[in-house]
Amino acid sequence: MRNFRLTAAAALLTALIAGPSWSYTPGTYEASAQGMKGPVKVAVTFSKDAVTSVKVTEEKETAGIGTTAAAELPRQIVEAQSTKIDGLSGATVTSKAIFAAVEDCIRQAKGDPNQPARSTAPKHAGKTIEAAEDVVIIGSGFSGLAAAVNAAEHGARVTVLEKMSVTGGASAICGGQWAIMGTKLQKKKGVPYDPPQALVYDLIGNGHLKNDLTTLTMFAENSPRAADWAINRFKPEFIDQKLQYRAEFQFDRSLYLKGGCGPAYRKVEKAVRDLGIKIHTDTKAERLIVKDGRIVGVEAHKKDGTKYIFSSKAVLLATGGYGANKAMLIEPLKSALYYGPASATGDGHRMAQAVGAKLELMEFGKRYPNGVEAAPGVAKSIIQGNYRAWLQSGILVNNEGRRLINEKASNHDILTVLEKQKDGMLYLVMDQATWNGFRDGVHTLGITDEDLEKWLAENGRKAPIFAHGSTLAEAAAAAGIDGGTLEKTVARYNELVKLGKDEDFGRPAAFMKAAISSEGPYYIVEQKPRFATTMGSVIVDENLQVLNQEGKPIPGLYAAGEIVNAVHGDDSSPGMNVAWGFTSGKVASESILKALGQLEK
Amino acid sequence: MRNFRLTAAAALLTALIAGPSWSYTPGTYEASAQGMKGPVKVAVTFSKDAVTSVKVTEEKETAGIGTTAAAELPRQIVEAQSTKIDGLSGATVTSKAIFAAVEDCIRQAKGDPNQPARSTAPKHAGKTIEAAEDVVIIGSGFSGLAAAVNAAEHGARVTVLEKMSVTGGASAICGGQWAIMGTKLQKKKGVPYDPPQALVYDLIGNGHLKNDLTTLTMFAENSPRAADWAINRFKPEFIDQKLQYRAEFQFDRSLYLKGGCGPAYRKVEKAVRDLGIKIHTDTKAERLIVKDGRIVGVEAHKKDGTKYIFSSKAVLLATGGYGANKAMLIEPLKSALYYGPASATGDGHRMAQAVGAKLELMEFGKRYPNGVEAAPGVAKSIIQGNYRAWLQSGILVNNEGRRLINEKASNHDILTVLEKQKDGMLYLVMDQATWNGFRDGVHTLGITDEDLEKWLAENGRKAPIFAHGSTLAEAAAAAGIDGGTLEKTVARYNELVKLGKDEDFGRPAAFMKAAISSEGPYYIVEQKPRFATTMGSVIVDENLQVLNQEGKPIPGLYAAGEIVNAVHGDDSSPGMNVAWGFTSGKVASESILKALGQLEK
Ligand SMILES: Cc1cc2nc3c(=O)[nH]c(=O)nc-3n(C[C@H](O)[C@H](O)[C@H](O)COP(=O)(O)OP(=O)(O)OC[C@H]3O[C@@H](n4cnc5c(N)ncnc54)[C@H](O)[C@@H]3O)c2cc1C
Ligand SMILES: Cc1cc2nc3c(=O)[nH]c(=O)nc-3n(C[C@H](O)[C@H](O)[C@H](O)COP(=O)(O)OP(=O)(O)OC[C@H]3O[C@@H](n4cnc5c(N)ncnc54)[C@H](O)[C@@H]3O)c2cc1C
């Protein structure tokens, strides 16, 4: 079905360059290194002049990211006879852990851990491959793959380009909340009535009148059947619970995928592969090919140097967001910390712009008030730690040591208060018991005890601020907070606890059962805005065909997923990105099929 | 431009039948009779055997309804030499007043007021006229005429059919509130920001999730430019005031046309006539002509018996609502009193249904809790009387004599309470001072002192209940209300007035300045649900093309105005029907022009 033609000049040109020689004490050695979520253990077997096998014997990495690295890198290390190869983009922490552990084993076997890599993959440098497809899909997230499956099942020839070594972008790592309005599953879960109008109403409220109305109406009308289709087609596993109430919605819609988005994503990916659709990993789309005002293909570059020219009848941009690309960020996003995938660099937005597309809402992203700056400009979420802290006696203050808000207020309201602070942050103050709960909470988000130890050791001297002290004053000084006021604030909070009612800010009584201990130690943790998902969009019509500056469709060009997030307005609501990914992917593929004359088949 | 061909058989066939003879005492006589809004005076001149002239010398009738009757009937009376002719449908009260006054003059001149009419208009019975048009528009309200003007100005050949003798349907008599969201005028009036998303949000809230999303999005996106166009094109006069706040909207949008809708309607009608577009009055469209699944014309019947066959490339249904057609009403509309025009019989809905269109929301109408049953099944609004009563000491009770609600609550909330009452109504209780204000208020709605006298004389024996008595108990007995409880309710209300605060139902203090007098007489007036505007609709696409049962457009058939009211959901918001009339008329004409290939001209 696929139709590859190597260009003559480059055909079959592969170069295997002879490498240096290796020497080891034969045997199997074991070692371990710290991965994303715990230790990664390896067992490496050596002959006297070669690494004969690498096995990852234990890991707790993120499904679909670290786990792919664990499955993929051992083979590559054996091939290269070295750890000096690229890690998997999107899984750097796990890659580094595997390399470190293997190097440990090499040292144990008296080999040289700095040996350069033996050239492995055939080199295509300078080679150009041409291929003809019906549809080229750029991006292997939920939106791209939903479109791929539906298009292929209606007989279209489809190929998928993915610039990272690891598939799935945000979709492979997302939290797993999925809003299932209007679906059979929602009805089965006891919510029989949730009409499209309710979704439009809710999203306009939460998107502050900024939503793109064309896609919003389309989303509302199509998401029930699209979700029914996705749930039936991919059989994702949900956590077995009732639909959850969310303040943003007038009907209960929120359900969680078991194990986050990862396992569901792998099922979608498997469906793609089972249909024989190729996902070209490490292959970055660089530009759209235009002929007579029509998009007729894509130029892409593979990491190994190969250039691809795909000609196609339709191109679908499913490239996700642009949060990882500082150059594309506008305030207030620019100064918020990013915690999304490295893949989100807005390539689709820019490729579309280059062929005349108009962008909108580029200044908006889904921001939360509870990140810590794990690396410069990069956040980790501590939201689950906070949740645990509110169950005990954690309070939020500013750098003057003052409480300003009910800690159980909505993210939006806390963010509003946070942004008014001169230093652009708030501080979570905890006694030892509260800290213990906080620590358990952040563990579930991939923050390890080693991370916490490291941050606490800095004691507020650099970001992220994890200050501590045996007295409140000591901890406050380390955090750069007014200690005198903080002591008064704590005393006042304890009074309110005794009273059983937060007369100052209305924290619910159920979350005011514990007083802040009069005995140290105390911990103070920074609270900075973080974001992963961006709202800036190409503008499309109801067929998800991309519009140019004059509002006319660009023939052959479609978009789906986060690159069309203006559907949500200036903020997206809980679980709506996953819902939108499937809906927009499905509808885009239907529009393309219609354009190809293939829908009624 | 117009293209009439008389069918051969009927060509030029007119019959003038000789009538009986007449005899009068020559001279000019004057008389007067009660019209809709006050006395209608006439002066009639007689020769010895003929009525030579009829003049209406004084009237205060509704602009565009009664006034048209006053202009039109005198000529017809002279032609017929009798008052035994049809009145003008849509202006029965004024017609009757004119006939009565003329008959008075005939008596004064010693003539026979019961003389039958001399046959006047040429009889076309059995004649068929065929005509070819680009567009046939059925209905001469705002929506139909806006479409007519825009289509004609882009070069289309247009004709308008109007079944009544008087043009304009609801549009000629409506209250004049016009919601002008997103327009230049709104900006000029100090509200610069009111995006389409806000309208969608507000209307879904007020329409209780029932709104048709396709038309709603279209309305939101097009109403600013459509209203700008209408205001610029027809130059309607607005009352010179600030935009008014309405609880239904998040931005101020409400403006009132000077003198109600009438004067603005006449300007629109004049624009139509100035363009040479014929409005065929007394000409009722009976059925749509279908050929190969396409609407290719309309069959219409004129009152004089002529049958018209219009062939056309497009037909626009702009026929208004169906409130005057009991057979089409479903509960709770069926038992509400109607106060709209007699023209609203849902002909368009039924003609569309006959060619396969689907209808929706037929059970809904815009209901108010403040009608009195002026004639069986027919309401008059007393809303302005109520407003005056709340300024003084009027209170609302049920037939048990109990107060149940803040009298200043929204119409919606009062209606909800009203509907829970076994007798399906509430009662307004007033002392003499409050009654005086009430009376002034209802005068502005066309309820005359004669009406009030008549109703008071019945004293609760039949509808409408306008009971009275020198004591509360007496008035209560006449109204059929529990007098003992009513006395307690009045005492309690007076206590609350003294307190300065309605602890029972939260009536605002500003409307609690007067106590209910301890001295009679007292008045008790019924409060029944009334409605004029209906929500039931044909279903259309974003081009206002009517959809069939399968959701596919019916070629050649469009709809605009109240017949597509599902845009509003189960209730329409203040001033939105006029806005929708202009927007839908404009957009429908644009869609038709596009289909005719005439838009870019
Ligand atoms: C940590 C996290 C948690 C989240 N939790 C939730 C949640 O619980 N519920 C929810 O609804 N949403 C959540 N979201 C948001 C949601 O995951 C995303 O909005 C959604 O998955 C985006 O899907 P997509 O298909 O548009 O893009 P992605 O899944 O990001 O896929 C885009 C793909 O395109 C590839 N690509 C980009 N440019 C190119 C190029 N030039 N050539 C080739 N390939 C390219 C990328 O590498 C990437 O793989 C979360 C996001 C994050 C980051
Ligand atoms: C008393 C009253 C007050 C109102 N006040 C307001 C207000 O303040 N603000 C607001 O926004 N809205 C108001 N409304 C509602 C608003 O007036 C109407 O919804 C709107 O004017 C309808 O316009 P239209 O063009 O769709 O129909 P209409 O104006 O009703 O015109 C329809 C026309 O079609 C004709 N017709 C019907 N069937 C046939 C047929 N078979 N052949 C030929 N002709 C036919 C009718 O005779 C009629 O003339 C009010 C309505 C009423 C009754």
Side-chain angles (χ1 to χ4, degrees):
Chain A
M1 220 167 84
R2 238 137 291 286
N3 179 11
F4 281 89
R5 284 173 281 123
L6 298 180
T7 56
L12 300 175
L13 172 70
T14 63
L16 265 169
I17 299 155
S21 59
W22 288 264
S23 114
Y24 305 98
T25 308
T28 297
Y29 303 85
E30 291 186 353
S32 145
Q34 180 61 34
M36 188 76 181
K37 297 197 165 175
V40 176
K41 293 191 183 160
V42 303
V44 184
T45 306
F46 298 89
S47 67
K48 72 182 184 2
D49 57 359
V51 180
T52 58
S53 133
V54 174
K55 278 197 179 117
V56 174
T57 54
E58 196 183 318
E59 50 85 13
K60 300 196 177 83
E61 303 301 283
T62 314
I65 299 289
T67 56
T68 306
E72 181 66 16
L73 286 183
R75 190 185 54 77
Q76 294 189 12
I77 292 171
V78 173
E79 254 181 41
Q81 292 293 308
S82 166
T83 58
K84 303 305 158 202
I85 57 176
D86 291 343
L88 291 195
S89 48
T92 29
V93 176
T94 312
S95 299
K96 278 190 192 155
I98 293 173
F99 293 151
V102 170
E103 285 163 18
D104 188 335
C105 294
I106 295 177
R107 267 185 228 101
Q108 292 179 50
K110 317 273 179 239
D112 175 4
N114 292 319
Q115 280 284 18
R118 197 166 73 181
S119 202
T120 54
K123 285 274 174 246
H124 298 274
K127 197 173 68 176
T128 298
I129 295 177
E130 288 179 6
E133 301 284 343
D134 290 335
V135 191
V136 175
I137 294 172
I138 311 179
S140 67
F142 280 138
S143 64
L145 297 196
V149 167
N150 191 55
E153 285 183 343
H154 285 81
R157 291 188 314 161
V158 181
T159 208
V160 178
L161 311 184
E162 171 51 60
K163 67 175 174 181
M164 308 299 270
S165 331
V166 166
T167 51
S171 303
I173 60 168
C174 60
Q177 189 171 180
W178 185 348
I180 54 160
M181 51 279 167
T183 58
K184 289 181 188 149
L185 186 55
Q186 190 194 29
K187 290 185 181 68
K188 225 171 84 181
K189 293 252 172 199
V191 181
Y193 176 71
D194 185 355
Q197 292 87 340
L199 184 68
V200 172
Y201 184 85
D202 292 345
L203 294 202
I204 291 180
N206 293 313
H208 303 99
L209 309 182
K210 299 278 193 310
N211 318 58
D212 179 87
L213 283 179
T214 304
T215 42
L216 180 55
T217 307
M218 183 277 269
F219 183 30
E221 286 173 340
N222 291 284
S223 73
R225 69 176 182 91
D228 280 343
W229 171 80
I231 291 168
N232 183 53
R233 178 67 181 82
F234 304 118
K235 311 234 178 318
E237 271 190 85
F238 290 97
I239 294 175
D240 185 22
Q241 60 189 6
K242 288 205 308 188
L243 291 173
Q244 311 216 331
Y245 167 80
R246 289 288 174 274
E248 289 87 348
F249 304 143
Q250 54 194 309
F251 299 102
D252 293 350
R253 300 172 178 151
S254 277
L255 210 54
Y256 276 90
L257 288 164
K258 219 179 229 170
C261 289
Y265 177 77
R266 292 305 146 197
K267 287 188 159 192
V268 175
E269 191 187 17
K270 182 169 183 310
V272 170
R273 301 210 193 265
D274 288 351
L275 283 164
I277 301 166
K278 183 161 173 63
I279 304 179
H280 298 263
T281 51
D282 284 329
T283 305
K284 184 178 174 202
E286 297 280 359
R287 70 178 184 91
L288 300 167
I289 304 170
V290 191
K291 202 176 156 185
D292 304 331
R294 213 193 142 76
I295 305 304
V296 295
V298 179
E299 180 182 325
H301 292 230
K302 197 172 164 118
K303 246 195 197 157
D304 66 8
T306 313
K307 177 169 154 183
Y308 282 86
I309 301 287
F310 292 96
S311 63
S312 69
K313 295 170 188 153
V315 173
L316 177 65
L317 299 171
T319 46
Y322 52 93
N325 186 347
K326 274 274 175 200
M328 285 178 75
L329 297 178
I330 301 170
E331 289 302 349
L333 272 193
K334 202 190 188 90
S335 57
L337 306 175
Y338 182 64
Y339 72 103
S343 60
T345 52
D347 300 6
H349 294 73
R350 286 176 291 137
M351 286 188 278
Q353 220 177 7
V355 299
K358 197 173 166 178
L359 305 182
E360 64 177 338
L361 302 192
M362 293 300 287
E363 65 272 44
F364 298 109
K366 183 172 181 52
R367 291 182 307 144
Y368 293 86
N370 40 38
V372 294
E373 192 164 3
V378 176
K380 292 218 171 185
S381 166
I382 52 167
I383 194 167
Q384 299 292 343
N386 285 7
Y387 285 157
R388 299 293 297 267
W390 315 143
L391 285 172
Q392 305 194 46
S393 64
I395 59 169
L396 276 183
V397 301
N398 69 359
N399 69 356
E400 296 165 9
R402 281 182 223 289
R403 249 184 108 214
L404 298 165
I405 189 164
N406 157 21
E407 287 81 0
K408 288 293 292 178
S410 71
N411 284 323
H412 184 86
D413 289 350
I414 293 178
L415 195 58
T416 304
V417 165
L418 183 155
E419 285 186 312
K420 290 200 187 115
Q421 306 311 310
K422 289 208 191 83
D423 60 351
M425 51 179 147
L426 290 172
Y427 301 84
L428 167 58
V429 180
M430 295 172 273
D431 59 18
Q432 182 66 46
T434 304
W435 166 265
N436 293 347
F438 174 86
R439 193 184 48 204
D440 290 351
V442 299
H443 281 166
T444 68
L445 295 164
I447 294 177
T448 63
D449 280 329
E450 284 80 359
D451 293 331
L452 293 174
E453 292 308 325
K454 197 174 62 190
W455 298 338
L456 285 170
E458 293 290 345
N459 201 14
R461 275 181 298 270
K462 62 174 220 185
I465 293 173
F466 275 73
H468 51 99
S470 55
T471 65
L472 270 174
E474 214 180 280
I481 287 182
D482 182 323
T485 308
L486 181 60
E487 279 168 358
K488 281 184 213 134
T489 299
V490 166
R492 171 67 183 157
Y493 181 76
N494 284 346
E495 246 175 72
L496 295 171
V497 170
K498 216 175 275 166
L499 207 67
K501 196 175 165 193
D502 179 3
E503 289 181 341
D504 297 348
F505 302 105
R507 177 163 166 165
F511 295 90
M512 294 189 66
K513 298 236 163 95
I516 299 168
S517 173
S518 55
E519 273 175 42
Y522 298 96
Y523 299 80
I524 300 180
V525 173
E526 69 177 27
Q527 306 275 318
K528 291 178 177 166
R530 64 179 168 94
F531 79 103
T533 305
T534 49
M535 298 299 143
S537 291
V538 296
I539 304 178
V540 295
D541 64 13
E542 69 280 6
N543 299 315
L544 289 163
Q545 201 169 344
V546 178
L547 302 182
N548 66 15
Q549 296 283 345
E550 289 75 49
K552 296 253 182 317
I554 300 174
L557 189 60
Y558 299 80
E562 198 170 318
I563 187 178
V564 208
N565 252 11
V567 66
H568 305 293
D570 69 0
D571 190 8
S572 64
S573 315
M576 282 297 166
N577 284 291
V578 169
W580 174 238
F582 282 113
T583 304
S584 58
K586 179 87 179 347
V587 170
S589 66
E590 288 168 355
S591 304
I592 291 170
L593 288 163
K594 225 180 270 168
L596 299 181
Q598 237 157 338
L599 191 60
E600 248 70 48
K601 267 192 195 171
Chain B
M1 225 168 81
R2 239 137 292 284
N3 182 11
F4 281 89
R5 284 173 279 123
L6 298 179
T7 56
L12 298 174
L13 170 69
T14 64
L16 264 170
I17 300 153
S21 58
W22 287 266
S23 112
Y24 305 98
T25 310
T28 296
Y29 303 85
E30 290 186 352
S32 142
Q34 181 62 33
M36 187 75 181
K37 296 196 166 174
V40 175
K41 293 192 183 158
V42 302
V44 184
T45 307
F46 300 87
S47 68
K48 70 178 189 3
D49 59 2
V51 180
T52 58
S53 134
V54 174
K55 277 196 181 123
V56 174
T57 54
E58 197 182 317
E59 51 86 10
K60 300 197 176 85
E61 302 301 282
T62 312
I65 297 291
T67 58
T68 304
E72 181 66 16
L73 287 183
R75 187 185 55 74
Q76 296 188 13
I77 293 171
V78 173
E79 255 182 39
Q81 291 294 309
S82 162
T83 58
K84 304 302 162 207
I85 58 176
D86 290 342
L88 288 195
S89 49
T92 28
V93 176
T94 312
S95 300
K96 280 189 190 155
I98 293 172
F99 294 150
V102 171
E103 286 164 16
D104 187 334
C105 294
I106 294 175
R107 268 185 226 101
Q108 293 178 48
K110 317 267 181 249
D112 174 3
N114 292 319
Q115 280 282 20
R118 194 166 76 184
S119 203
T120 53
K123 286 272 176 246
H124 299 273
K127 195 172 70 178
T128 297
I129 295 178
E130 289 181 4
E133 301 286 343
D134 289 334
V135 191
V136 175
I137 295 173
I138 311 179
S140 67
F142 281 138
S143 65
L145 295 197
V149 167
N150 191 56
E153 286 184 343
H154 285 82
R157 293 189 311 164
V158 181
T159 208
V160 178
L161 310 184
E162 171 52 59
K163 68 175 174 183
M164 308 299 272
S165 331
V166 165
T167 51
S171 304
I173 59 168
C174 59
Q177 188 171 184
W178 186 348
I180 55 161
M181 51 279 166
T183 58
K184 289 180 188 150
L185 185 56
Q186 190 193 30
K187 290 184 181 69
K188 224 170 86 183
K189 293 252 172 201
V191 181
Y193 176 71
D194 185 355
Q197 290 88 343
L199 183 68
V200 172
Y201 184 84
D202 292 346
L203 294 201
I204 291 180
N206 292 315
H208 303 100
L209 308 181
K210 299 277 196 307
N211 317 60
D212 179 86
L213 284 178
T214 304
T215 41
L216 180 55
T217 307
M218 184 279 266
F219 183 30
E221 285 173 341
N222 291 285
S223 74
R225 69 175 183 89
D228 280 342
W229 171 80
I231 292 168
N232 182 55
R233 178 67 182 81
F234 304 117
K235 311 234 179 319
E237 271 190 86
F238 289 97
I239 295 176
D240 186 21
Q241 60 187 6
K242 287 205 308 185
L243 291 173
Q244 310 216 330
Y245 167 81
R246 288 290 174 274
E248 289 86 347
F249 304 143
Q250 55 195 306
F251 299 102
D252 292 351
R253 301 172 178 151
S254 276
L255 209 55
Y256 275 89
L257 288 163
K258 220 179 230 171
C261 290
Y265 176 77
R266 292 304 147 200
K267 288 189 157 193
V268 175
E269 191 186 16
K270 182 170 184 310
V272 170
R273 303 211 193 264
D274 288 350
L275 283 165
I277 301 166
K278 182 160 174 65
I279 304 179
H280 299 262
T281 50
D282 284 329
T283 305
K284 182 176 176 205
E286 297 280 359
R287 69 177 184 91
L288 301 167
I289 304 171
V290 191
K291 200 176 154 187
D292 303 332
R294 215 192 141 76
I295 304 306
V296 295
V298 178
E299 178 181 327
H301 293 229
K302 198 171 163 120
K303 249 197 195 155
D304 66 7
T306 315
K307 175 169 157 186
Y308 282 88
I309 301 286
F310 292 96
S311 65
S312 69
K313 295 170 188 152
V315 173
L316 177 65
L317 300 171
T319 45
Y322 52 94
N325 186 347
K326 275 274 177 202
M328 284 178 76
L329 297 178
I330 301 170
E331 288 304 350
L333 274 192
K334 203 187 188 90
S335 56
L337 306 175
Y338 182 64
Y339 73 103
S343 60
T345 51
D347 300 7
H349 295 73
R350 286 175 292 137
M351 284 188 279
Q353 218 177 7
V355 299
K358 196 174 166 176
L359 305 182
E360 63 176 338
L361 302 191
M362 293 300 288
E363 65 271 45
F364 298 109
K366 182 170 181 54
R367 293 182 305 145
Y368 293 85
N370 39 41
V372 294
E373 192 163 5
V378 175
K380 293 221 170 185
S381 168
I382 52 167
I383 193 167
Q384 300 289 344
N386 285 8
Y387 286 157
R388 298 293 298 266
W390 315 143
L391 285 171
Q392 304 193 47
S393 64
I395 60 169
L396 276 183
V397 302
N398 67 359
N399 71 354
E400 296 164 8
R402 282 181 221 290
R403 246 185 110 215
L404 299 166
I405 190 166
N406 157 22
E407 287 80 1
K408 289 292 291 177
S410 70
N411 284 323
H412 184 87
D413 289 350
I414 294 177
L415 194 57
T416 305
V417 166
L418 184 155
E419 285 187 311
K420 291 201 187 111
Q421 306 311 310
K422 288 207 193 83
D423 61 351
M425 52 179 144
L426 290 172
Y427 301 84
L428 167 57
V429 179
M430 295 171 274
D431 59 18
Q432 182 66 46
T434 303
W435 167 264
N436 294 346
F438 174 87
R439 193 185 47 205
D440 289 352
V442 301
H443 281 166
T444 69
L445 295 165
I447 295 177
T448 63
D449 281 328
E450 284 79 359
D451 292 331
L452 294 174
E453 292 308 327
K454 196 174 62 189
W455 298 339
L456 285 169
E458 294 291 345
N459 202 14
R461 276 181 296 270
K462 62 175 221 184
I465 295 173
F466 275 73
H468 51 99
S470 55
T471 64
L472 269 174
E474 214 180 281
I481 287 183
D482 181 324
T485 308
L486 180 61
E487 278 169 358
K488 281 184 212 135
T489 299
V490 167
R492 170 67 183 157
Y493 181 77
N494 284 347
E495 246 175 70
L496 294 171
V497 169
K498 214 175 279 167
L499 207 67
K501 195 177 165 192
D502 180 3
E503 287 181 342
D504 296 349
F505 302 107
R507 176 162 166 165
F511 295 90
M512 295 190 66
K513 298 234 163 97
I516 299 168
S517 172
S518 56
E519 273 174 40
Y522 300 95
Y523 299 82
I524 299 180
V525 173
E526 70 177 25
Q527 307 275 315
K528 289 179 178 166
R530 64 179 168 95
F531 79 104
T533 306
T534 48
M535 299 299 143
S537 292
V538 295
I539 304 178
V540 296
D541 64 13
E542 69 280 7
N543 300 315
L544 288 162
Q545 200 169 344
V546 178
L547 303 183
N548 67 14
Q549 297 282 346
E550 288 75 47
K552 297 253 182 316
I554 299 174
L557 188 62
Y558 299 80
E562 198 171 318
I563 186 179
V564 207
N565 253 9
V567 67
H568 304 293
D570 67 2
D571 190 7
S572 64
S573 317
M576 282 298 164
N577 284 291
V578 170
W580 175 238
F582 282 113
T583 304
S584 58
K586 180 85 176 356
V587 170
S589 67
E590 289 168 354
S591 303
I592 291 171
L593 287 162
K594 224 179 273 168
L596 299 181
Q598 238 158 337
L599 190 59
E600 249 70 47
K601 266 192 197 169

